[in-house]
Amino acid sequence: MNVKAALSPEDIARACADAMWAEDDASKGLGMEIVEIGPGIATLAMTVRPDMVNGQRIAHGGFIFTLADSAFAFACNSHNERVVAAQGQITFIKPGKLGDRLVATAREVTRNGRSGIYDVRVTAGDIVIAEFRGHSRVIPGTWLPAQDQ
C-alpha cells in the first residue's frame, strides 16, 4: 500500500503544523493559536496583552510582525519541506489595541524550486492592521517521516 497516496495535501499540512507547533515555543509563549491550516495557507490568532503595548499604548509593531511571521512560517512549511524565512517586510496600516484579537491569514502567492512568496494580512475584526510579505527558502529535511507522507 502506498501510504503517501493515503494522505491528502490537507492531512499533510495539518501533520506538518502539528510537528512544528510542538517545537514552537515562541508562538506558544506569545499566546498564539492556530485557527486554520491547509496547503500553502495558515491562519493564526493572538490577543494583545498588556506586555505587548508600547509607549503609545498600542500594540508594539514587533509583536504584530511576529504574529504575521508565524502565520507565514506555518503556511510555507505546509508541504512537508523544511522552510525558513529569507526576507520579511511589513506595512502597518492601523494600530492594534490592548485586548484586540489579531488574526494573521497567510497565503501562498508562488512557490518555485526552493523559493516562495507569501502574503499575510493581519486584522482586528474587520479592520486591516498590517500587510506582510515574506520570501521563503527551502532547507534540507522534512517534517514527517517518509512512511507518513
Side-chain angles (χ1 to χ4, degrees):
M1 175 176 136
N2 183 349
V3 176
K4 185 171 185 172
L7 290 180
S8 70
E10 290 76 17
D11 292 336
I12 291 170
R14 170 47 62 188
C16 290
D18 291 345
M20 268 185 71
W21 188 255
E23 300 298 324
D24 189 346
D25 295 335
S27 296
K28 289 186 284 193
L30 291 172
M32 291 182 200
E33 63 180 276
I34 298 172
V35 176
E36 179 185 5
I37 291 291
I41 61 169
T43 301
L44 273 67
M46 175 182 78
T47 299
V48 179
R49 305 181 313 218
D51 61 338
M52 296 175 172
V53 296
N54 62 21
Q56 302 286 348
R57 304 312 296 162
I58 58 176
H60 191 290
F63 291 108
I64 297 169
F65 186 98
T66 302
L67 174 63
D69 185 51
S70 288
F72 161 53
F74 279 91
C76 64
N77 279 278
S78 64
H79 302 288
N80 197 29
E81 295 177 308
R82 294 242 177 193
V83 182
V84 296
Q87 181 206 344
Q89 178 180 348
I90 196 163
T91 301
F92 299 108
I93 299 166
K94 296 248 184 192
K97 299 177 184 75
L98 179 63
D100 278 353
R101 178 177 161 85
L102 302 181
V103 178
T105 303
R107 68 175 183 81
E108 191 173 273
V109 174
T110 185
R111 191 170 134 245
N112 187 16
R114 293 181 54 212
S115 300
I117 299 174
Y118 294 76
D119 283 341
V120 184
R121 175 168 281 173
V122 181
T123 58
D126 294 333
I127 299 168
V128 178
I129 300 297
E131 296 281 355
F132 172 101
R133 174 160 274 192
H135 296 246
S136 66
R137 189 73 171 165
V138 175
I139 60 172
T142 61
W143 288 104
L144 307 177
Q147 69 272 15
D148 289 347
Q149 297 180 43

